[in-house]
């Protein structure tokens, strides 16, 4: 707290330094500055006895917020029963199942589907210390999520954009309480940061490995080796995934023809785009759009 001259009397300005100490503030700023995801859907469900979601894996991140009643979840081998004021975060492709807990005859939850669009291939929803979280201010959080559900009746796009802002508060809360740790950039990823930025800005266009290597002043062979070591995939695989992620984003937001989606995401052939999309997301582009736009 510091003394601050004021025209209105003896006042002091509180900068709230203790709320976010420097190390936590750096994590928060790095996350909020670089996080990229779209909320695909937010919905409120009332569940009755014997309700159960079978074991499955899906291609987006799912978050279950328990409003009332109790829910039993198994996420990638971890089991827990959660109740009001708690939530479970299930990153994409993790095997999971959930149901009403034993002895519970009814419950309500809010389900949020999120598609991370992470240029560094790091899903931010994997950064929580546990998939099972307790909210600090559940009543306020749930009230805002309900408003997002209600706004969908008038504007789906506005409602889902609002829900994305709400989820950012979840990250901030858990960073502040020390239960979220963003994945640190390795030295190799830092060395390649210019390449990631170049790809992010130019994925719609054609470019060669030689051009990518030139961005960081490396010869092609060394660049390929460093890139694979940093990202566990070849540069062309990385570019392909970025194009697919952005195509998914376009499918959710716009009712464009598939040829236009393909071209906007950097694919020269609609047929190749559809084949690649189905292989990555385990559904066709039209099925993806129908699943998340209805």
């Amino acid at each position: 707290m510091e003394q601050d001259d004021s025209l209105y009397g003896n006042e002091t300005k509180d900068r709230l330094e203790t709320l976010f100490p420097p190390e936590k503030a750096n994590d928060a700023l790095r996350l909020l500055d670089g996080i990229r995801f779209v909320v695909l859907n937010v919905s409120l469900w009332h569940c009755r006895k014997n309700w159960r979601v079978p074991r499955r894996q899906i291609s987006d991140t799912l978050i279950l917020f328990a409003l009332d009643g109790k829910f039993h979840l198994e996420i990638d081998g971890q089991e827990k029963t959660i109740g009001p004021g708690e939530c479970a975060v299930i990153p994409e492709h993790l095997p999971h199942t959930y149901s009403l807990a034993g002895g519970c005859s009814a419950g309500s939850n809010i389900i949020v589907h999120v598609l991370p669009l992470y240029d560094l291939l790091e899903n931010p929803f994997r950064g929580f210390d546990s998939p099972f979280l307790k909210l600090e201010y559940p009543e306020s959080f749930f009230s805002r999520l309900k408003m997002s559900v209600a706004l969908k009746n008038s504007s789906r796009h506005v409602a889902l954009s609002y829900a994305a802002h709400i989820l950012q508060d979840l990250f901030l809360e858990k960073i502040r309480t020390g239960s979220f740790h963003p994945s640190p950039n390795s030295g190799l990823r830092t060395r390649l940061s210019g390449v990631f930025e170049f790809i992010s800005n130019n994925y719609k266009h054609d470019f060669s490995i030689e051009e990518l290597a030139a961005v960081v002043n490396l010869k092609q062979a060394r660049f390929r080796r460093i890139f694979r070591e940093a990202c566990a995939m070849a540069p062309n695989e990385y570019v392909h995934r970025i194009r697919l992620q952005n195509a998914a984003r376009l499918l959710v937001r716009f009712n464009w023809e598939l040829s236009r989606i393909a071209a906007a995401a950097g694919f020269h052939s609609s047929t190749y785009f559809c084949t690649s999309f189905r292989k990555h997301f385990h559904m066709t582009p039209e099925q993806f759009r129908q699943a998340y736009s209805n």
Side-chain angles (χ1 to χ4, degrees), residues 60-81:
D60 56 65
T61 293
L62 182 149
I63 311 174
L64 183 151
F65 295 92
L67 301 182
D68 56 67
K70 292 186 176 182
F71 299 87
H72 185 76
L73 298 99
E74 180 187 343
I75 304 172
D76 199 27
Q78 299 185 61
E79 293 189 56
K80 188 172 182 179
T81 296

Side-chain angles (χ1 to χ4, degrees), residues 40 44 200:
L40 302 173
L44 171 61
S200 179

Side-chain angles (χ1 to χ4, degrees), residues 148-168:
S148 178
V149 173
L151 286 171
K152 275 204 314 178
N153 296 311
S154 301
S155 172
R156 181 182 182 86
H157 172 66
V158 171
L160 299 185
S161 295
Y162 176 52
H165 288 296
I166 299 171
L167 292 184
Q168 287 187 332

Side-chain angles (χ1 to χ4, degrees), residues 154-226:
S154 301
S155 172
R156 181 182 182 86
H157 172 66
V158 171
L160 299 185
S161 295
Y162 176 52
H165 288 296
I166 299 171
L167 292 184
Q168 287 187 332
D169 289 345
L170 178 64
F171 286 110
L172 286 176
E173 177 183 307
K174 297 309 172 184
I175 288 174
R176 190 180 64 78
T177 58
S179 55
F180 179 89
H181 300 90
S183 300
N185 289 331
S186 68
L188 289 176
R189 287 184 181 275
T190 301
R191 174 75 187 275
L192 296 172
S193 60
V195 174
F196 297 132
E197 182 178 0
F198 178 88
I199 294 172
S200 179
N201 293 332
N202 296 280
Y203 66 88
K204 300 177 184 179
H205 310 295
D206 291 331
F207 45 82
S208 65
I209 299 298
E210 183 179 8
E211 289 177 271
L212 292 180
V215 172
V216 285
N217 298 314
L218 291 173
K219 293 185 177 180
Q220 286 191 52
R222 179 168 169 76
F223 170 72
R224 289 178 186 272
R225 181 179 62 79
I226 290 177

Side-chain angles (χ1 to χ4, degrees), residues 24-34 172 175:
K24 292 183 179 179
N26 288 337
D27 281 345
L29 293 174
R30 182 161 65 87
L31 180 75
L32 295 181
D33 184 52
L172 286 176
I175 288 174

Side-chain angles (χ1 to χ4, degrees), residues 9 43 64 96 99 141 159 163 197 209 213 215 223 228 231 234 241:
S43 51
L64 183 151
H96 64 274
S99 62
F141 204 92
E197 182 178 0
I209 299 298
V215 172
F223 170 72
R228 182 174 288 278
C231 300
R241 183 172 298 193

